[in-house]
Amino acid sequence: MIKFNKNSIVIPVLIIAVITSSFMFKTYEGDEYSIYFDDHLIQGKKEFLSETVIQKGESNRPNVIVILADDLGQTDISLYGNKFISTPNIDRIGQEGVTFSNGYISSPVCSPSRAGLLTGRYQNRFGHELQPNHRYLRNMLEYFVFKMMPRFKPLTPVKSKRVPSSADRMRQGLAPSEITLAEFLKKYDYSTALIGKWHLGSADFAKPCARGFDYQYGFYEAFTLYEDPSAKDIVNMPITKEYMDYHQWRQAAGRTGNCAILRNCCEEQEELKYLTDALTDEAIQFVDNNKDQPFFLYLPYNAPHAPLQAQKKYFDQFTHIKDPVKRVYAAMIKNLDDEIGRLLNKLDSLQLAENTIVVFLSDNGGAGSNGTTDNYPYRGGKFTNFEGGLKVPFMIRYPAMFSGGKKYHEPVISLDIFSTIAAILDVSLPDDRVYDGVNLIPYITGGTKEVPHKDLFWRSDFNKAVLSDRWKLIINEFDNTVLLYDLSSDISEKNNVAGKYPEKVQELSGKIDRWEKEMIKPLWPRVVNYVHEDKLGKHVFAI
């Protein structure tokens, strides 16, 4: 009598079933996601930027520096209460300017957030709602492998039969209809530079050199290596249990493709210095070269985004942190703080600090899913519409206009930066499009007692949220859940009071509905969802 091992039968049968099913489910490229841009706004942009309204040297215009950290949680720096990492240089921006305790970003994920920041408009207005993707699942076999492998969690794949064509995938990027802050300031004879991470597309129309930047140094992708992993002074911390981290290490290896370091969007560079330090070198050189004329420096560091690599001299400062992942993360933040200090000191030495607007914020909340941080006391992190994903460190320094040491507690959003800079320059924004940001100066200086925003909105596909006064409503159409929180007494979003206040749910959901009517649908679909699970429940978020 022949005996069969149960596993010896199940595994081959399972493989055959998956291969067979792969022929039943394949993705097809179609025109459903063909990318079209707003011709009316493209023409309006062209006309606005072509108008000459100011001559060089006509006024003492301020310099502008926007420093953007990557995946840095609000409570990861000491000014916002971190007890393990001292960040005196980042803190200095807020201490010598204004610190926003309720500073929000327009999306809890990198690329859409940056699109909103650089345009001053909800990125949902022009379809940049989800992360750009160059790769989609092709059949059931790929879907099944992704779905079942524990290593892929907390990500889960999206099964779509229709996906963008190869040509349209390459067109995923910042819409040419949109006016970037760099394009806007060039109109007023600013010298402009992008130094760091772009992550807004690599199509010709989306490259930074086509979007108002005179000078570029950095990379296009969401991540790259900080330094050669074999360098003796580097501590590498791959998170082997997480696929996303594995993917980042693998794709960034060798710094090729969109992970390559480029100068002026075409010259590939072999950068041997630790990248955070190298970006600061470039920033200081740009400031030095343009000290006698108004300049705009957009400095989006990739720190402390994965892959986690720290210089040993910083790693050795955190022996009190026992978790090796958190220790490398802390070292990267400390390194970032020192480099920002170098830049601030350069402004001082050139006597430029008084007339330079310095903005510091992060592109989204801390990436708690990889174990680097927990965003306490806020719930959730990057990818989520909980406070931990949307609330970021946010500060502005401008000594020529307002004194330091101010703290502002009403909600503000990254979209306000564009409008505030335009107001300081005393120039008008284009009138052919809606700007969602406001000029923050009257609120900072006490010129008005009103609040900057009655409502703030977020949407990532099936995830929607609104913040209105003390109330925050989160609607998740994937989970069919409705969450209502009173943030005045529940900043950790522990108590869902939707059942207790149905009239408030109806009021706020109506606000979301009316806001959505002004938005357009996403220009490209998502590839994966993120599953956030904690003691309070399990929720799926679109990326």
Side-chain angles (χ1 to χ4, degrees):
M1 182 177 180
I2 300 175
K3 294 183 178 181
F4 293 97
N5 181 288
K6 181 173 64 175
N7 291 334
S8 68
I9 296 176
V10 170
I11 293 175
V13 168
L14 192 58
I15 292 173
I16 292 171
V18 172
I19 293 174
T20 301
S21 64
S22 71
F23 291 100
M24 298 171 61
F25 165 58
K26 290 184 178 181
T27 57
Y28 297 91
E29 295 184 359
D31 59 5
E32 181 179 353
Y33 292 104
S34 294
I35 294 178
Y36 299 99
F37 300 116
D38 190 320
D39 289 336
H40 173 73
L41 290 183
I42 289 174
Q43 181 61 30
K45 170 183 174 178
K46 182 178 179 180
E47 293 173 359
F48 174 78
L49 294 179
S50 66
E51 296 171 354
T52 303
V53 294
I54 192 168
Q55 298 298 319
K56 292 183 179 180
E58 189 172 318
S59 64
N60 186 28
R61 286 156 287 156
N63 304 308
V64 180
I65 299 177
V66 176
I67 304 171
L68 188 68
D70 198 352
D71 287 4
L72 181 73
Q74 188 190 80
T75 55
D76 284 333
I77 62 174
S78 49
L79 186 64
Y80 286 89
N82 193 292
K83 304 299 184 185
F84 300 97
I85 311 169
S86 175
T87 53
N89 297 298
I90 295 173
D91 296 354
R92 178 184 164 192
I93 300 172
Q95 290 163 346
E96 296 177 356
V98 59
T99 303
F100 299 97
S101 57
N102 287 295
Y104 289 89
I105 205 76
S106 64
S107 172
V109 66
C110 307
S111 187
S113 165
R114 292 161 194 265
L117 168 65
L118 281 182
T119 62
R121 289 158 41 86
Y122 280 115
Q123 61 280 357
N124 314 80
R125 290 191 182 277
F126 48 92
H128 202 119
E129 187 164 320
L130 301 163
Q131 291 281 79
N133 296 289
H134 292 160
R135 173 77 160 83
Y136 288 83
L137 297 179
R138 290 173 294 200
N139 52 48
M140 182 62 81
L141 178 58
E142 289 188 345
Y143 173 82
F144 181 83
V145 171
F146 201 156
K147 182 81 172 175
M148 300 304 295
M149 292 290 285
R151 189 178 192 176
F152 290 122
K153 295 178 180 178
L155 301 179
T156 183
V158 174
K159 185 166 63 174
S160 300
K161 288 192 174 183
R162 294 286 180 181
V163 298
S165 67
S166 299
D168 280 317
R169 294 175 204 179
M170 301 312 297
R171 284 164 54 82
Q172 294 181 5
L174 184 60
S177 59
E178 298 308 303
I179 301 170
T180 70
L181 187 53
E183 290 170 314
F184 181 78
L185 290 175
K186 271 185 68 67
K187 176 182 171 70
Y188 301 100
D189 297 311
Y190 274 69
S191 180
T192 60
L194 161 73
I195 297 172
K197 168 179 168 176
W198 179 236
H199 202 197
L200 288 172
S202 57
D204 287 343
F205 67 80
K207 290 178 181 177
C209 299
R211 304 312 298 265
F213 291 100
D214 299 317
Y215 180 74
Q216 176 270 341
Y217 190 86
F219 59 98
Y220 296 157
E221 187 50 88
F223 48 82
T224 195
L225 291 178
Y226 291 84
E227 195 168 337
D228 186 335
S230 64
K232 64 180 180 180
D233 61 342
I234 290 295
V235 178
N236 302 296
M237 192 55 59
I239 306 172
T240 55
K241 66 180 181 180
E242 189 187 66
Y243 173 78
M244 193 181 306
D245 188 74
Y246 165 77
H247 164 72
Q248 289 163 350
W249 280 96
R250 182 183 62 179
Q251 185 169 335
R255 282 184 179 163
T256 59
N258 284 342
C259 292
I261 307 299
L262 299 175
R263 190 187 305 277
N264 292 329
C265 305
C266 60
E267 304 167 19
E268 192 166 327
Q269 305 293 300
E270 185 181 7
E271 180 57 73
L272 300 179
K273 185 175 285 190
Y274 186 80
L275 193 54
T276 305
D277 300 3
L279 296 178
T280 307
D281 287 346
E282 291 284 334
I284 287 174
Q285 187 63 58
F286 173 78
V287 169
D288 212 17
N289 292 344
N290 293 276
K291 58 182 178 291
D292 298 322
Q293 63 190 81
F295 63 79
F296 168 51
L297 169 61
Y298 175 45
L299 182 56
Y301 287 101
N302 53 319
H305 191 291
L308 301 180
Q309 292 181 286
Q311 296 188 73
K312 190 174 186 301
K313 64 182 180 181
Y314 286 101
F315 183 78
D316 290 345
Q317 295 179 29
F318 292 92
T319 55
H320 57 288
I321 299 179
K322 302 306 178 184
D323 184 314
V325 170
K326 287 182 169 58
R327 183 175 172 182
V328 169
Y329 183 71
M332 295 171 73
I333 293 173
K334 186 64 177 176
N335 193 161
L336 174 65
D337 183 73
D338 279 356
E339 292 305 296
I340 289 174
R342 278 211 296 139
L343 178 59
L344 296 178
N345 290 341
K346 184 65 176 180
L347 294 177
D348 291 339
S349 69
L350 295 175
Q351 299 183 334
L352 294 176
E354 178 76 11
N355 197 40
T356 299
I357 304 165
V358 178
V359 181
F360 177 85
L361 72 166
S362 178
D363 65 340
N364 46 249
S369 61
N370 64 10
T372 52
T373 188
D374 61 7
N375 296 302
Y376 179 83
Y378 306 119
R379 184 180 181 187
K382 178 180 180 178
F383 306 132
T384 80
N385 282 340
F386 295 122
E387 292 289 275
L390 298 173
K391 191 173 282 189
V392 295
F394 194 149
M395 52 196 81
I396 302 176
R397 186 186 80 172
Y398 185 31
M401 183 163 283
F402 54 86
S403 58
K406 296 180 180 292
K407 293 187 178 180
Y408 189 77
H409 301 295
E410 296 294 342
V412 299
I413 194 166
S414 56
L415 309 177
D416 297 330
I417 293 170
F418 200 120
S419 296
T420 300
I421 291 170
I424 291 173
L425 267 62
D426 193 24
V427 295
S428 299
L429 295 169
D431 58 10
D432 67 337
R433 64 199 67 209
V434 174
Y435 279 86
D436 298 294
V438 302
N439 171 21
L440 293 176
I441 299 301
Y443 304 96
I444 295 171
T445 59
T448 178
K449 299 301 180 184
E450 299 294 321
V451 298
H453 300 276
K454 291 184 178 180
D455 307 303
L456 293 176
F457 296 93
W458 295 271
R459 186 183 74 184
S460 299
D461 202 287
F462 52 78
N463 302 117
K464 304 169 185 181
V466 59
L467 176 65
S468 183
D469 191 22
R470 73 180 200 262
W471 299 99
K472 183 174 174 190
L473 178 70
I474 300 175
I475 296 176
N476 189 319
E477 295 174 347
F478 185 95
D479 294 331
N480 292 317
T481 56
V482 176
L483 307 173
L484 179 68
Y485 300 105
D486 180 352
L487 297 183
S488 66
S489 59
D490 183 22
I491 61 170
S492 299
E493 296 171 297
K494 292 181 179 179
N495 303 303
N496 178 17
V497 295
K500 187 177 179 181
Y501 298 101
E503 71 287 350
K504 181 59 68 173
V505 171
Q506 184 176 6
E507 174 195 340
L508 297 184
S509 62
K511 289 188 175 187
I512 292 176
D513 290 342
R514 289 189 291 275
W515 175 77
E516 282 195 283
K517 289 178 181 177
E518 297 183 37
M519 308 298 125
I520 68 172
K521 70 176 185 178
L523 288 183
W524 50 83
R526 66 196 191 281
V527 174
V528 295
N529 296 326
Y530 168 72
V531 181
H532 175 80
E533 191 168 5
D534 58 22
K535 294 179 181 179
L536 299 174
K538 181 178 178 180
H539 300 279
V540 178
F541 292 91
I543 298 179

